[in-house]
Amino acid sequence: MSDTVSTPAIICVAITGSVPRKSDNPAVPITVAEQVESTQAAFEAGAAIAHCHVRNDDETPSSDPDRFAALKEGIERHCPGMIVQLSTGGRSGAGQARGGCIPLRPDMCSLSVGSNNFPTRVYENPPDLVDWLASQMAAHNVVPEVECFDLSHLYQAHAMWTDGRLPTAPDGRDPERRPYVQFVMGVRNAMPVDRHAFEAMLATKRYLFGEAPWCAAGIGAGQAKLNDWAAEAGGHLRTGLEDNVRMDRTTLAASNAALVERAVEIAARHDRRPADPAEARAILGLRSR
């Protein structure tokens, strides 16, 4: 049996994001209570990581640390051992407000290390802000998941890892651990869901970081395709209503759990099984809870 077959697949569920609303799909969870309930169902379906954003009552994105704290507490209570990953993305706040959740000391935070185009604007991640966010993660023993929207972002992550700006272990004691990177593909005006582009990202990841664990996230209709490519290539999978509100062109996803169940089925086609939280923590070098 090959290493790819024997290695479990970590499934990350991106439960709500900053963009989709209930008008897009009534299953999109908005309140903290809705998000906790949706996450618990996804956890029971096989997700080991919850990628978290928070919303205001009017469904607009927020970076309110109090909302993040309530969500983190709820997930930890109802989903024992699940990895909590809070977003420092730029749709919900500006400048250092994006890092307001880091002192909560979640297991992980997302970290975008470079800028790129989004559907209607530039997703700005200036170097000084990226360095500050990374330094805050290091100070609070939070492990980043590096979100790579472009090939250059892998090189920037490597530069930050090489010179010590990018923490990769919760206590800073494992300088040899490589960063956990995620390829984000399918955002309009950015990297498309294209096999050639995927292979280029994967080859570059292996060139820079060897066989360190990695993940791929497909946006919209590309979600299932990226799940399949990642499972086949030995990577880990991201799914969820943040990235995609449909099962297919005509069918809305009933829940985050439904998308996780599909990811589990896709992984099984490649003789992969969902990692449980303890396995996921061991793969990523995270502390146990």
Side-chain angles (χ1 to χ4, degrees):
M1 183 177 287
S2 71
D3 288 341
T4 297
V5 171
S6 63
T7 301
I10 301 172
I11 297 178
C12 172
V13 59
I15 52 181
T16 193
S18 296
V19 175
R21 293 176 173 244
K22 288 189 179 294
S23 58
D24 300 308
N25 183 332
V28 174
I30 300 298
T31 68
V32 168
E34 288 175 339
Q35 290 194 61
V36 171
E37 181 179 10
S38 185
T39 302
Q40 183 177 9
F43 173 71
E44 292 170 355
I49 300 177
H51 173 76
C52 304
H53 293 246
V54 290
R55 303 285 193 100
N56 296 310
D57 293 342
D58 64 358
E59 302 191 41
T60 57
S62 173
S63 57
D64 182 359
D66 291 338
R67 291 178 186 259
F68 271 120
L71 179 57
K72 175 177 177 287
E73 180 183 3
I75 293 173
E76 290 174 347
R77 182 187 311 120
H78 294 283
C79 308
M82 191 178 199
I83 296 166
V84 177
Q85 181 190 106
L86 304 185
S87 173
T88 66
R91 279 192 171 110
S92 57
Q96 294 187 359
R98 289 169 50 177
C101 62
I102 298 172
L104 298 173
R105 297 192 66 194
D107 300 294
M108 305 182 79
C109 280
S110 63
L111 179 67
S112 297
V113 296
S115 302
N116 60 279
N117 286 339
F118 266 10
T120 60
R121 68 183 184 90
V122 175
Y123 181 31
E124 295 185 18
N125 293 290
D128 57 346
L129 177 60
V130 173
D131 285 347
W132 181 82
L133 289 169
S135 72
Q136 289 298 294
M137 293 180 201
H140 294 283
N141 297 325
V142 176
V143 174
E145 176 194 75
V146 181
E147 297 192 344
C148 298
F149 295 82
D150 185 82
L151 195 67
S152 65
H153 299 173
L154 285 166
Y155 282 92
Q156 180 63 12
H158 185 264
M160 293 178 68
W161 172 64
T162 300
D163 64 21
R165 285 175 289 161
L166 191 66
T168 55
D171 53 11
R173 292 184 298 179
D174 190 358
E176 294 304 312
R177 178 169 286 278
R178 272 69 169 165
Y180 184 56
V181 301
Q182 176 176 262
F183 314 151
V184 185
M185 308 180 75
V187 176
R188 183 160 55 89
N189 298 326
M191 185 76 75
V193 177
D194 174 81
R195 187 71 192 217
H196 179 79
F198 172 79
E199 295 291 351
M201 293 286 283
L202 182 54
T204 303
K205 194 285 304 182
R206 287 173 172 160
Y207 168 67
L208 295 172
F209 300 123
E211 294 306 311
W214 57 278
C215 181
I219 308 304
Q223 186 175 80
K225 187 176 292 185
L226 259 290
N227 285 170
D228 185 69
W229 294 350
E232 179 185 32
H236 303 290
L237 288 63
R238 170 163 145 163
T239 190
L241 291 168
E242 171 179 351
D243 300 339
N244 166 48
V245 298
R246 297 181 177 276
M247 299 299 290
D248 55 45
R249 186 182 297 272
T250 60
T251 309
L252 292 176
S255 62
N256 275 304
L259 293 170
V260 171
E261 289 165 359
R262 182 175 70 177
V264 170
E265 292 171 358
I266 290 170
R269 295 175 200 162
H270 300 284
D271 298 314
R272 308 281 302 277
R273 59 177 177 80
D276 66 33
E279 289 173 320
R281 288 177 180 277
I283 290 167
L284 299 177
L286 300 175
R287 65 173 79 86
S288 62
R289 288 202 179 274

